[in-house]
Amino acid sequence: MSIEVKNLTKKFNKKTVIKDISFKVNSGEILAIVGFSGSGKSTVLKLICGLIEKDSGIIKTSGDIAMVFQYSALIDSLNVEDNIAFALKERKDLRKKYTNEEIKQIVKEKLNLVGLSGIENKFPSELSGGMQKRVSFARAIVTSPNIILYDEPTAGLDPVSSTLIEDYIVRLKEETNAASIVVTHQMSTIMRTADKIIMLYNGDVVFTGTPQDLMKQDTPYTKQFVTASLDGPMKMLQG
Amino acid sequence: MRDFSLKSTITYKLYRQLIILFDDFLSTIGDTVIYGKDVLKFIFKRDFNMPALLEQCSRFGVSSLPITLSIVGMTAIIVSMQVAGEMVKQGAGNYVGMLVAILIIREAGIIMSGFAIISMIGSSIASEIATMRVTEQIDAIQVLKVNPIRYLFVPRVLSGTLMMPPVLVIASLVGIIGGGVAAHLASGLSYRAYFESVWSGIYMKDMNVALLKAIVFGFTIALISCVCGYNANGGARGVGIATTKAVVWSFVAIVLWDLVFSIIFFF
Ligand SMILES: Nc1ncnc2c1ncn2[C@@H]1O[C@H](COP(=O)(O)OP(=O)(O)OP(=O)(O)O)[C@@H](O)[C@H]1O
Ligand SMILES: [Mg+2]
């Protein structure tokens, strides 16, 4: 139940998006990946869960991987219940494991966890962005995975829903001893969930440390990130 | 200054365009064969989701029927209207029914149904799956360790294969009846004369070939549409491109199949 990434490199049409990065996440640990838009955070997650092929390097994972997508990625022809129960109903090794009643119960439980109940029969298009995000959170954790990748789980949520999700990310880690990676821009999410942080810029790791290290702002990168300043080593526009 | 180099000539550009098109067709066919094998594996193992199959069947068969019937029916009516008068004048009125039956059963029924199904069902399958691709729904399915071929392709392709023959039979029947009505109204041919001669235009072999074609066409259209949608990339524009590809390559594929069938069975 851990993730180990060594010298990972990925190019898209000759442009190197991930440059030789390495890190490790043990079970029971949460790594936050931060960095400006386009720095390659989502790409790292997609490489880890095998959605895109790496060019070189090593990715070692042990256990069942789940992912909360940046834009929810709910299946829009299925209602909330079927979305959350998707793996339980369609996955080969789980398909016949639960009765319909049990599945209904599990879905209800997970919906309660993310602070939404009674929306089982709604379709994704009938939900707000934040609600979709929380449903996709519920869908990801329904199989009790031991590696969980969160791509901006709290983006677009109101502060209270954010706190709810942040608390749950931590609780899930404590209960299941999962290894988690949280990609986020949000200071609150970093401070509340992360055990350690890496900052990506242009595909390079420019900072590694704890949330406390980040707050010290003793490198140009951390200073610029925490103060959200335009001045600093990181430029927003890169071709 | 004008550019007189080879690369600026229209011929060159046309050739280039053709090569790109041909290349795209071949890669689509290649993918279709690869995914087709997987789909067949699931079908032969009877490993598919029954409710999903029934839903797709009703979409394929029932919702496409009005358009398919209109197109095949109109073809028969138009042909019958145009030839009946002439044939009655020449004393060949007794052959109108036969002519329409042969035309519909051998060729027009299946090819027109195929076109109707492509434009209604093929395009909607392709745009649906392409949208799922560009909004990362297919990625989500993969991360949840559900096989997207089993979940998305199998019910659609199997329903195409199963529903195309009944759609063809109903459309052909309507076409032949419509042709009779048209001949009667246009040139006063009696229904009796028409339908008696229909019998002499119906051959067992033609019907078997037609049903076989229907199975093959239904499979091909649904599969190519799935593949084109599945390979989509890049936002709304990607969905549009995928849909166009699905329609165009399905047309080309069924016309090629038709040629193959003609060579095998009527050459
Ligand atoms: N499929 C792709 N094809 C080509 N380039 C891509 C692809 N996916 C990502 N990229 C490029 O890789 C870089 C990193 O993208 P990525 O989505 O990982 O960024 P991110 O850090 O998640 O940004 P954001 O915070 O905006 O979500 C970007 O420059 C992007 O243009
Ligand atoms: Mg991202």
Side-chain angles (χ1 to χ4, degrees):
Chain A
M1 291 185 221
S2 65
I3 309 164
E4 193 176 350
V5 171
K6 254 194 204 150
N7 307 107
L8 182 63
T9 299
K10 173 70 190 171
K11 291 188 184 111
F12 283 121
N13 331 308
K14 295 194 185 127
K15 188 187 160 212
T16 312
V17 175
I18 302 296
K19 296 173 189 158
D20 195 29
I21 71 171
S22 307
F23 59 84
K24 204 174 160 193
V25 191
N26 296 318
S27 53
E29 207 171 45
I30 299 177
L31 171 78
I33 301 183
V34 301
F36 289 158
S37 206
S39 55
K41 306 179 300 291
S42 296
T43 306
V44 171
L45 296 193
K46 285 182 186 166
L47 284 163
I48 292 173
C49 67
L51 281 174
I52 50 182
E53 298 273 327
K54 60 182 189 255
D55 288 324
S56 63
I58 299 169
I59 300 172
K60 273 195 222 153
T61 55
S62 55
D64 210 11
I65 305 181
M67 172 145 162
V68 178
F69 283 81
Q70 185 168 0
Y71 302 105
S72 303
L74 296 176
I75 299 170
D76 52 25
S77 56
L78 302 179
N79 64 18
V80 167
E81 174 170 329
D82 288 339
N83 261 291
I84 295 177
F86 189 72
L88 304 181
K89 286 185 175 172
E90 298 289 342
R91 200 161 121 182
K92 200 169 179 190
D93 53 335
L94 299 175
R95 223 180 273 151
K96 300 213 164 75
K97 212 169 145 188
Y98 300 97
T99 64
N100 275 345
E101 287 313 304
E102 285 169 325
I103 289 179
K104 271 196 182 346
Q105 199 49 45
I106 295 172
V107 168
K108 205 170 161 192
E109 219 171 84
K110 301 294 172 200
L111 270 177
N112 274 334
L113 268 177
V114 295
L116 298 167
S117 21
I119 61 158
E120 279 92 339
N121 295 321
K122 286 210 185 322
F123 282 85
S125 59
E126 299 169 312
L127 306 178
S128 74
M131 288 161 92
Q132 292 182 15
K133 195 94 205 199
R134 286 185 277 165
V135 171
S136 90
F137 188 92
R139 176 179 70 177
I141 58 176
V142 82
T143 56
S144 319
N146 11 63
I147 293 178
I148 317 179
L149 312 175
Y150 304 94
D151 200 346
E152 308 199 7
T154 50
L157 296 189
D158 60 85
V160 176
S161 305
S162 285
T163 308
L164 194 85
I165 295 286
E166 286 154 5
D167 286 351
Y168 193 63
I169 290 174
V170 174
R171 213 176 102 199
L172 204 63
K173 168 195 89 165
E174 281 162 0
E175 279 172 9
T176 66
N177 211 24
S180 324
I181 299 182
V182 181
V183 164
T184 182
H185 297 293
Q186 223 157 298
M187 263 323 190
S188 69
T189 309
I190 299 171
M191 299 316 286
R192 285 217 185 87
T193 63
D195 297 307
K196 53 186 189 186
I197 300 170
I198 63 175
M199 189 185 297
L200 289 184
Y201 172 62
N202 237 343
D204 282 313
V205 176
V206 293
F207 164 80
T208 315
T210 62
Q212 288 70 36
D213 296 336
L214 181 72
M215 291 317 284
K216 276 187 217 151
Q217 306 179 31
D218 52 5
T219 78
Y221 289 103
T222 49
K223 184 162 189 223
Q224 186 185 359
F225 186 83
V226 175
T227 57
S229 162
L230 282 175
D231 304 319
M234 299 187 277
K235 301 280 170 274
M236 279 306 283
L237 296 170
Q238 334 121 20
Chain B
M1 241 198 59
R2 282 188 65 186
D3 182 4
F4 287 108
S5 67
L6 174 69
K7 288 190 174 183
S8 71
T9 60
I10 291 200
T11 329
Y12 176 85
K13 284 180 185 157
L14 256 173
Y15 269 122
R16 236 188 98 72
Q17 210 56 46
L18 268 178
I19 288 168
I20 292 172
L21 269 178
F22 192 62
D23 184 56
D24 188 52
F25 181 64
L26 288 187
S27 72
T28 305
I29 294 301
D31 286 347
T32 304
V33 172
I34 292 168
Y35 291 125
K37 266 198 260 169
D38 284 350
V39 170
L40 285 176
K41 242 191 285 170
F42 282 111
I43 293 178
F44 285 124
K45 279 194 291 186
R46 307 233 177 111
D47 182 8
F48 49 83
N49 185 334
M50 208 50 174
L53 176 66
L54 293 179
E55 190 192 325
Q56 292 301 326
C57 280
S58 89
R59 167 192 193 177
F60 199 103
V62 182
S63 61
S64 72
L65 219 46
I67 298 294
T68 317
L69 292 186
S70 320
I71 293 182
V72 176
M74 284 316 272
T75 309
I77 288 170
I78 291 165
V79 168
S80 172
M81 258 163 55
Q82 291 186 358
V83 301
E86 214 56 44
M87 287 177 78
V88 169
K89 244 191 275 168
Q90 305 286 343
N94 283 343
Y95 296 103
V96 176
M98 182 189 90
L99 184 88
V100 172
I102 288 183
L103 180 80
I104 293 289
I105 295 171
R106 280 205 187 153
E107 196 55 55
I110 181 64
I111 211 86
M112 289 296 164
S113 309
F115 287 179
I117 292 286
I118 290 171
S119 52
M120 272 205 76
I121 310 294
S123 62
S124 89
I125 289 178
S127 56
E128 183 186 12
I129 295 183
T131 305
M132 296 183 73
R133 164 63 77 196
V134 303
T135 54
E136 297 186 323
Q137 293 178 47
I138 294 181
D139 289 349
I141 291 175
Q142 276 172 318
V143 173
L144 290 164
K145 296 206 185 62
V146 172
N147 186 324
I149 303 299
R150 179 184 183 273
Y151 180 71
L152 294 172
F153 282 40
V154 173
R156 287 169 177 77
V157 174
L158 189 52
S159 77
T161 316
L162 294 175
M163 294 311 286
M164 195 69 188
V167 166
L168 173 68
V169 169
I170 298 172
S172 303
L173 268 176
V174 168
I176 291 172
I177 294 169
V181 176
H184 178 72
L185 295 178
S187 51
L189 189 67
S190 77
Y191 286 119
R192 195 193 161 97
Y194 178 86
F195 285 106
E196 269 173 3
S197 88
V198 161
W199 286 117
S200 56
I202 295 177
Y203 296 95
M204 208 54 208
K205 178 188 167 194
D206 288 359
M207 295 211 286
N208 289 336
V209 173
L211 288 177
L212 187 62
K213 274 194 205 174
I215 291 171
V216 173
F217 285 17
F219 180 86
T220 307
I221 293 168
L223 182 59
I224 289 184
S225 306
C226 287
V227 169
C228 290
Y230 196 72
N231 287 342
N233 54 48
R237 191 157 166 266
V239 176
I241 293 173
T243 311
T244 307
K245 272 188 192 170
V247 170
V248 172
W249 296 143
S250 297
F251 272 137
V252 174
I254 70 166
V255 171
L256 288 179
W257 267 130
D258 206 23
L259 183 68
V260 170
F261 273 96
S262 301
I263 292 171
I264 295 176
F265 291 103
F266 295 102
F267 196 52

